[in-house]
Amino acid sequence: MQTGALTKGPLPPLIWKLAAPMSIGYFFHTMFNITDTWFAGRISTEAMAALSLSFPVFFIILAVGYGLGTGTTALVGGALGKGDARAASDFAGQALAFSILVSVFLTLAGLWSAPGLFRFLGASRDYLGTSLAYMNVIFYASVLFLLAFVFNGILFALGDTRPNRNFLVVAFFVNLLLDPWFIYGGFGLPPLGIAGIGIATLLCEAGGVLYLGVRTFRSGVLVCPRLRCFLPNKRVIVQVMHQGLPAAFSMFTVGGGIFVITYFVGKFGQEAVAAYGIAVRVEHLAVLPAMGLNTATLALVAQNSGAGLGDRVRESLRLAVAYGGKMMLPVGAGVFLAAEPLIGLFTADPRVVSAGAGYLRVDALVFWAYVILYVNVSALQGMKRPMFAVWIGVLRQFVFPVAVFWLLTGFFDCGLMGIWMGILGITWTAALYALYYAKRTVAKAFPVPPH
């Protein structure tokens, strides 16, 4: 194992080496989900609704996995930056063991609570059964999702994002073949309906975990005489939780923020809700080229911060923000100019197209702000300051939206455009504050000596 691999050499090629595979992987992951949604729609409207209803519950598993993966990268990367291979091995082993324990809890809790939760969300009878047929399979796959996040977290700390890209690209094509086979049956397999979509996902994830696990163990980061680093160690587990839980909670705030926006948008009718749902999908695809910068920043800052190289931490952050602007400004201009045709790809309803295009024209001005925000949050997580993500998430997703949307739509009567403008103002405010806070934190941790 090569410790501190990201603490040497010029930063620009390192950033692209880390970011490019991640951006490709994010694209195929998005297409994986779109494929599932498309095939669910071929089964029935009820199946597609069940998939949508399951997403908030599925999101809990993903958020926990994201938190564990991010915490693992910060801890393992910091240890590698210090040249402490034993500590890196301990963090990696404990994160893997802890993820298995957490997945058992998530599976049991999910299987027990899902029927009541889906009833609360409006499912009953056949609709409830369809939702559970899919989600119960996902609960059993919890251990696979969490292990994949942690394996990736270890590999990211080493500066290797290619295995994740390879896994997501192959998983997309395998899922494309398995979905119709499992849904409709054939070659001795009975039709499984929507449960087949869940089983296809489980098998893709199992193959990915096997591949990522092999790559992780071959990396040499896990050096465990008599499997010592996998035995529960309270001190190390507390550190993993300290880094991982805030990151997971920050992901929960994203789901809550979508709920808040949908609540206010819903006051303007179902056409407005449909427009927002379509526009968000376009937004996700538009920002994909820059999303790999988050992981690149996290890995680079984790190792260089651990090594005490403040200048490289500062430069990593500066370059990531600048590269994000160079990518998002032309993308934003394209989305702004093509807003109506983009929404028109999904619907012919003129009211939906008008509302969705209005959102995209405003949102195109926010793309760079998203990158600035996420890059700086990742930098702070790499420096083992995970709580900022929680507080900025709560403020950006709950506190400010409720106040701003109420004022603009209720008090000032700005209509739907008030919500879109509120998103612009809140996101840019959060992004600029994150930039200021991250720079201040770096300056305090690594003061520049007077000349």
Side-chain angles (χ1 to χ4, degrees), residues 120-323:
F120 174 76
L121 293 173
S124 61
R125 298 182 181 178
D126 291 345
Y127 184 20
L128 175 62
T130 302
S131 301
L132 291 174
Y134 169 77
M135 197 61 217
N136 284 347
V137 177
I138 299 301
F139 283 132
Y140 285 118
S142 294
V143 64
L144 300 174
F145 288 109
L146 266 59
L147 283 173
F149 273 108
V150 174
F151 280 134
N152 274 322
I154 297 168
L155 292 168
F156 295 167
L158 289 164
D160 192 359
T161 58
R162 292 169 297 176
N164 182 61
R165 174 204 60 193
N166 298 343
F167 159 46
L168 293 174
V169 171
V170 172
F172 164 73
F173 287 106
V174 172
N175 187 59
L176 196 62
L177 296 174
L178 293 183
D179 268 357
W181 180 24
F182 289 178
I183 290 170
Y184 302 112
F187 302 101
L189 186 73
L192 299 174
I194 193 172
I197 296 178
I199 294 171
T201 300
L202 184 152
L203 292 177
C204 290
E205 202 69 22
V209 166
L210 179 62
Y211 168 68
L212 294 171
V214 169
R215 291 294 297 261
T216 301
F217 281 94
R218 285 181 177 175
S219 72
V221 71
L222 284 161
V223 183
C224 301
R226 297 182 298 278
L227 301 180
R228 171 187 53 79
C229 64
F230 293 106
L231 298 177
N233 182 315
K234 181 180 177 181
R235 179 185 61 82
V236 180
I237 288 178
V238 167
Q239 292 184 67
V240 172
M241 292 175 63
H242 177 72
Q243 294 298 317
L245 291 180
F249 188 79
S250 71
M251 282 292 288
F252 286 131
T253 65
V254 173
I258 294 173
F259 174 83
V260 171
I261 294 173
T262 303
Y263 170 79
F264 280 95
V265 170
K267 295 182 178 182
F268 297 92
Q270 62 182 9
E271 291 84 6
V273 174
Y276 173 67
I278 293 171
V280 166
R281 284 165 174 78
V282 175
E283 170 193 280
H284 287 170
L285 291 173
V287 300
L288 279 176
M291 290 307 293
L293 291 171
N294 308 338
T295 302
T297 305
L298 174 63
L300 284 165
V301 170
Q303 280 206 19
N304 286 286
S305 176
L309 301 175
D311 287 342
R312 287 179 67 87
V313 170
R314 272 185 283 270
E315 186 65 4
S316 298
L317 191 54
R318 186 191 69 79
L319 287 172
V321 170
Y323 291 154

Side-chain angles (χ1 to χ4, degrees), residues 2 34 42 44 56 80 84 126-128 178 197 221 234 272 322 330 341 348 357 364 387 397:
Q2 182 181 4
I34 290 174
R42 304 286 76 76
S44 67
L80 292 173
D84 192 342
D126 291 345
Y127 184 20
L128 175 62
L178 293 183
I197 296 178
V221 71
K234 181 180 177 181
M387 286 306 298
Q397 305 286 4

